Amino acid sequence: MTMASPSPAPPSAAAPPAGHRTFRLAVPPVSGVLRPRLLAVCAFLTVAAFLVLCWGVSIGDYPIGLPSVAGALAGYGDPGTLLVVRGLRLPRALIGALAGVAFGVSGAVFQTMTRNPLASPDMIGLTQGAGVAVVAGIVLGWDAGPGPQALGLLGALATGLLVYVLAWRRGTTGHRLVLVGIGVSWICTSATDYLVAKGGRFQAQAALGWLVGNLNGRGWDQVGPLALAMAVLVPVALALGRLTRTLQLGDDVAAGLGTPVQRVRLALLLTGVGLVAFATAAAGPIVFAALAAPQIAQRLARTAWPPPVASGLTGALVVLSSDLLARELLPSTELPVGIVTGVLGAPVLLWLLIRADRAGSGG
């Protein structure tokens, strides 16, 4: 009598992918999967963004060496260097870094939620909604009341809710959110153009300077609200990450796994809107940062979805590097950062459209 050899046990469905490591802690009771490549990418992006930030702080009419910049950031150095670094130049750099993180994380949230690499705040109307509110404040004199942050938040929130309501048909889908968002974005763009044409010369100049995305003249009064908003909204976005990834499987599968699809989608929309609103109010609508950063981070980390932390760090690196280029590209002219991100981001958009067309998804 021959004994049948036991068949090998099927691999566990919970087994982590190759190269990943699981961990489990008793106190606090936490378990998860470590992704070494993702951690290495985040570490590299952090170092690169910090070096570019220091480089940007070092240049100007009064050049400062990188060692002196690092010392001034730590609180050491002569009073003149401390004043230039920490009082005059650091706020601009921090606004660029924080706005880049906000745009990157919000882009990752929207692209994961909609399962569409073209879904970003500046593609579905949120950036334009915040922009039209802030421009209305400048042109109509509302800036004496609510500040740009409050107007940007209200504009982006109203636009996000409008897109959500118009896309609702016994629930919402990522496809409908994108299509409705594109239409709403053009409405907001037309309203912004009308307000700029209606305003006076100085008001129009101020509005146009803000609309293109600009870090010039930023101070500590813009850093505080943005940093506070990110301290609240970024942890919320990360906490929703597990539920966000179930949406990648489709609404029916996600609901079968116990995910409250519509509530999660609304929570993600509000979180992304908040990040976009505060970043846009502080730095202006820096185009393509939220579109390109998640896609770059996804390819660096080789993940199935845009990783939010790496996307935020990539956004910071993109905005800081673009601002450095804007300041150094033409020696006699300091370009707004939004011009550089637009020039660099347009090829990324074309590449994504070509890839989507080849894949048969149609964008």
Side-chain angles (χ1 to χ4, degrees), residues 92-114:
R92 174 193 182 122
L94 287 179
I95 286 291
L98 292 174
V101 171
F103 283 125
V105 173
S106 64
V109 166
F110 284 113
Q111 291 177 10
T112 305
M113 177 181 69
T114 61

Side-chain angles (χ1 to χ4, degrees), residues 167-193:
W168 181 272
R169 191 174 62 189
R170 290 178 296 178
T172 61
T173 64
H175 180 68
R176 285 205 300 272
L177 285 173
V178 172
L179 291 179
V180 172
I182 291 174
V184 172
S185 70
W186 282 107
I187 294 174
C188 293
T189 300
S190 300
T192 301
D193 292 342

Side-chain angles (χ1 to χ4, degrees), residues 62 64 68 71-72 75-86:
Y62 176 64
I64 303 174
S68 299
Y76 302 101
D78 60 88
T81 301
L82 289 174
L83 174 63
V84 172
V85 171
R86 305 186 71 172

Side-chain angles (χ1 to χ4, degrees), residues 178-269:
V178 172
L179 291 179
V180 172
I182 291 174
V184 172
S185 70
W186 282 107
I187 294 174
C188 293
T189 300
S190 300
T192 301
D193 292 342
Y194 170 77
L195 289 170
V196 171
K198 180 181 174 62
R201 177 183 302 176
F202 297 107
Q203 294 171 326
Q205 288 178 346
L208 289 174
W210 181 87
L211 279 173
V212 81
N214 206 332
L215 299 179
N216 297 337
R218 297 302 185 262
W220 287 108
D221 53 338
Q222 285 94 19
V223 175
L226 179 57
L228 181 60
M230 291 186 62
V232 175
L233 295 173
V234 171
V236 173
L238 297 180
L240 292 170
R242 182 183 64 83
L243 297 176
T244 305
R245 289 192 289 274
T246 63
L247 297 181
Q248 291 274 311
L249 305 174
D251 290 0
D252 294 336
V253 176
L257 294 174
T259 301
V261 174
Q262 299 306 327
R263 282 185 289 171
V264 170
R265 188 168 282 137
L266 180 60
L268 290 169
L269 179 66

Side-chain angles (χ1 to χ4, degrees), residues 274-296:
L275 289 169
V276 171
F278 282 97
T280 303
I286 301 177
V287 295
F288 289 128
L291 174 72
Q295 293 300 308
I296 296 172

